[in-house]
Amino acid sequence: MIRHLQRMHLRRLNTLLGHLRMAYSSSASEGVLLETINNKGVITLNRPKALNSLNLAMIRAIYPKLKEWDADPSTSLVIIKAAGDKAFCAGGDIKAVTESGKRGDRLAKEFFYEEYILNHKIATMRKPYIALVNGISMGGGVGLSAHGRYRVATEKTLFAMPETGIGLFPDVGGGYVLPRMRGQLGVFLALTGFRLKGRDVHHAGYATHFIESKQIPELEKALLDLKQPTSDVVDDVISQFHNQCQLDTDKPFILEDQEEHIDRLFAADTMEDICHSLQGDGSEWATKQLEILRKMSPTSLKITLRQLREGARLDIEDDLQMEYRMSQGCIRGHDFYEGVRALLVDKDGSPRWIPATLEEVTPEIVDDHFRPVQNDLNLK
């Protein structure tokens, strides 16, 4: 009788453990799916109701798998895509980060630290890394795609780095990527949060290729069916889809008429000088940009401009270290919390920045965002 009860208890315990294992597996797969298909790695961001926003659990699932695939001789390439057709990844889970920062929890440090390590891994992948960016790509989504060898956009792609409007800065390697766009285009996009859509994303340089969204499944199948996917072969396949796409080929770049003005008016090394140039220009377009900048966090504008000027001279490792220090400066400050409150929590759209003006943001405040921190990020 006792043995019978022991066996029943053991069976129930095994059943319970099985349920727990299933629950853990299901929970891990809700945010991201990781598959190996025909010796190719496939990452699917799988939070479509949350616009596939990136959280720490997803980062912790993707990073070790990328390391494994990159080291595995049998894995020939990696594809990253997203569930749904509205968003590739609309950013990181910044609400959770700011809530953690208010409590003094580890998440506010760990999220940025581990996200930037993932960004670095993507930037240094030896295997072809192909991002199928079909939908919104902002913030964390840019970090998951912009550092890859191939970034395929569609007519549904929307690219933006709107962080100055929430008291942050264009992180995830934005300090490396944006200054390498032609002229002052990246500086303009970073400071104003201007949104690019469709083929304009390719014109700007964020995307390497452009195809119609309906061709995404066909391109993915062509890549997964490759027998010997060398870099040249992968390039040929993606370029063939790109070259065959005639959608919006005759449409000029949305900022084509303004690029000369952007290069001239956003060339200064201080925000005060940029605003002075815009005000002095006096055109309708320049006046509109000045109005947009006045809505942004003055602290974010100043640290972002310095980030991009310094990032233009840095390699990806030093840039991400700089950005980690900046992220912790924002966690110590006021505007990041206030921007998230105004945009995502209360949604009143009226953030109260402190300091409230560019003139009040002293060099000491800016410098504080760039100083070394405890347990600094070192990728070398």
Side-chain angles (χ1 to χ4, degrees):
M1 180 69 178
I2 294 175
R3 288 181 180 176
H4 175 68
L5 291 173
Q6 287 175 333
R7 285 196 296 271
M8 286 182 61
H9 176 71
L10 186 59
R11 284 197 298 269
R12 288 174 180 172
L13 181 60
N14 286 333
T15 301
L16 176 61
L17 290 172
H19 288 327
L20 287 172
R21 283 192 293 269
M22 288 173 64
Y24 179 80
S25 173
S26 172
S27 152
S29 66
E30 282 176 3
V32 59
L33 306 177
L34 303 165
E35 304 170 280
T36 300
I37 303 173
N38 297 340
N39 294 322
K40 286 96 173 173
V42 180
I43 304 167
T44 306
L45 306 176
N46 194 34
R47 299 180 68 205
K49 291 182 179 179
L51 300 180
N52 295 312
S53 61
L54 186 67
N55 59 33
L56 188 57
M58 295 164 70
I59 293 168
R60 289 177 172 173
I62 295 170
Y63 175 65
K65 199 65 178 177
L66 272 185
K67 286 182 65 178
E68 176 190 321
W69 282 331
D70 207 24
D72 181 6
S74 67
T75 302
S76 53
L77 59 81
V78 175
I79 295 171
I80 184 167
K81 60 179 183 174
D85 60 359
K86 186 172 183 179
F88 171 72
C89 173
D93 191 358
I94 55 175
K95 283 178 68 175
V97 172
T98 51
E99 289 167 5
S100 167
K102 290 176 183 177
R103 297 191 301 266
D105 292 349
R106 295 171 59 88
L107 176 64
K109 294 181 179 180
E110 291 175 347
F111 180 84
F112 291 110
Y113 193 94
E114 296 186 37
E115 183 181 25
Y116 297 173
I117 290 175
L118 173 58
N119 299 150
H120 179 256
K121 181 58 194 173
I122 293 169
T124 56
M125 286 282 290
R126 294 184 295 272
K127 309 285 177 67
Y129 179 94
I130 303 138
L132 304 178
V133 190
N134 185 37
I136 300 167
S137 180
M138 298 191 293
V142 176
L144 291 174
S145 52
H147 304 293
R149 196 178 306 176
Y150 302 100
R151 290 96 61 190
V152 182
T154 75
E155 76 280 2
K156 295 181 179 181
T157 305
L158 184 152
F159 164 85
M161 295 296 274
E163 288 82 2
T164 57
I166 58 167
L168 197 59
F169 61 95
D171 67 331
V172 297
Y176 181 83
V177 172
L178 293 166
R180 287 163 175 80
M181 291 181 172
R182 62 182 178 272
Q184 300 298 321
L185 178 60
V187 175
F188 167 76
L189 295 174
L191 296 177
T192 65
F194 188 87
R195 297 184 173 195
L196 296 173
K197 300 178 182 179
R199 196 174 279 273
D200 288 333
V201 172
H202 178 253
H203 286 313
Y206 164 61
T208 57
H209 298 80
F210 180 86
I211 68 174
E212 289 190 60
S213 58
K214 65 183 181 183
Q215 294 179 301
I216 288 284
E218 188 179 344
L219 172 59
E220 183 182 357
K221 183 178 185 303
L223 292 168
L224 293 176
D225 287 346
L226 289 174
K227 302 300 181 184
Q228 294 181 315
T230 63
S231 293
D232 288 342
V233 170
V234 171
D235 189 84
D236 287 345
V237 169
I238 300 175
S239 295
Q240 184 177 3
F241 277 81
H242 170 78
N243 293 333
Q244 290 175 350
C245 179
Q246 298 301 309
L247 181 65
D248 292 336
T249 52
D250 57 345
K251 183 180 177 182
F253 181 42
I254 191 171
L255 293 171
E256 183 177 74
D257 293 340
Q258 282 78 41
E259 281 201 82
E260 181 183 341
H261 303 294
I262 288 171
D263 290 347
R264 174 171 51 86
L265 299 172
F266 284 81
D269 290 332
T270 70
M271 280 307 307
E272 288 89 345
D273 285 345
I274 287 176
C275 290
H276 180 74
S277 296
L278 289 167
Q279 190 169 8
D281 181 270
S283 66
E284 182 180 352
W285 182 84
T287 301
K288 181 179 179 182
Q289 306 319 307
L290 188 59
E291 290 173 358
I292 291 170
L293 292 176
R294 284 173 175 161
K295 295 178 181 178
M296 306 303 185
S297 158
T299 301
S300 289
L301 290 174
K302 283 201 170 183
I303 65 172
T304 295
L305 184 59
R306 176 168 164 180
Q307 171 203 8
L308 268 58
R309 295 298 184 228
E310 293 193 11
R313 301 186 295 269
L314 299 177
D315 58 24
I316 186 65
E317 290 81 9
D318 287 338
D319 174 75
L320 288 169
Q321 181 186 68
M322 173 181 70
E323 292 184 15
Y324 179 66
R325 294 171 178 177
M326 294 174 68
S327 75
Q328 298 312 293
C330 291
I331 291 296
R332 292 191 302 270
H334 165 272
D335 281 5
F336 184 29
Y337 302 99
E338 175 62 10
V340 170
R341 179 207 65 77
L343 185 71
L344 300 176
V345 180
D346 297 338
K347 299 181 181 180
D348 56 37
S350 300
R352 295 178 289 276
W353 306 124
I354 301 175
T357 67
L358 289 172
E359 291 72 24
E360 294 175 272
V361 182
T362 65
E364 291 75 21
I365 292 174
V366 175
D367 288 344
D368 185 61
H369 287 76
F370 291 83
R371 65 176 172 83
V373 295
Q374 189 177 10
N375 299 319
D376 218 341
L377 180 64
N378 189 349
L379 295 165
K380 290 186 173 178

